[in-house]
Amino acid sequence: MSDSEFKARYGVALIQCPQRNSVKISDEIWSWPGCQGLEELPEANAEFYVPSEDFEILEFGSEAAEKCAEWLDSGAFQKTHFHVFLKVYFSLAADVLVTSPDDLRTYIATEGKKIPYGCDLLSWNELPDTDYLEN
């Protein structure tokens, strides 16, 4: 047998998913065939509120404080669409050819798995064959 028959193939996928479901989605991804690791990367341009020095303090009982309380009670703030990126590492069987996100979708589907609702498979890259012990 040649060395190429023993070489393991690894790849990495970048998946965008809703932040509110990221834990549930991460649990699902761990069940995908060949999943070896998962890293959550917060979205770099998420719209976080950074208070400035001149922000208004809401006085208890004021109209502004009541509107703020109504907004919090309504849950409207939870309907914003913040996303996280999941970097998923795969070990692929020698007989599996994955060269694109579509091939990865097919590979995942072979075990009856699917990309969770609301998620987008943004990219797929095969990792170079690296001797990590030597490096």
Side-chain angles (χ1 to χ4, degrees):
M1 291 187 186
S2 68
D3 287 341
S4 63
E5 292 180 66
F6 290 107
K7 287 186 180 177
R9 290 182 51 232
Y10 295 94
V12 62
L14 185 62
I15 298 171
Q16 181 179 352
C17 72
Q19 185 177 33
R20 68 184 179 280
N21 295 334
S22 64
V23 173
K24 182 179 176 184
I25 292 167
S26 295
D27 290 344
E28 170 64 25
I29 290 173
W30 274 109
S31 72
W32 287 358
C35 181
Q36 297 291 308
L38 186 131
E39 182 179 1
E40 186 174 311
L41 309 169
E43 186 175 23
N45 63 352
E47 298 172 12
F48 293 110
Y49 173 72
V50 179
S52 64
E53 290 181 18
D54 58 342
F55 67 93
E56 179 184 348
I57 296 175
L58 298 177
E59 291 184 31
F60 183 75
S62 70
E63 183 180 345
E66 287 177 19
K67 285 184 179 182
C68 183
E70 289 173 12
W71 177 72
L72 289 171
D73 287 340
S74 74
F77 66 95
Q78 294 176 335
K79 295 178 181 142
T80 56
H81 297 286
F82 295 115
H83 290 88
V84 294
F85 293 111
L86 300 176
K87 199 172 183 182
V88 185
Y89 297 90
F90 289 92
S91 172
L92 300 172
D95 60 338
V96 175
L97 181 63
V98 177
T99 60
S100 70
D102 287 335
D103 292 344
L104 184 60
R105 284 186 186 91
T106 302
Y107 176 62
I108 293 166
T110 61
E111 298 289 321
K113 307 293 180 184
K114 60 183 179 178
I115 305 289
Y117 177 77
C119 294
D120 292 317
L121 178 55
L122 301 177
S123 68
W124 162 262
N125 291 302
E126 189 161 341
L127 297 174
D129 188 23
T130 304
D131 186 345
Y132 294 100
L133 292 176
E134 185 178 303
N135 292 336

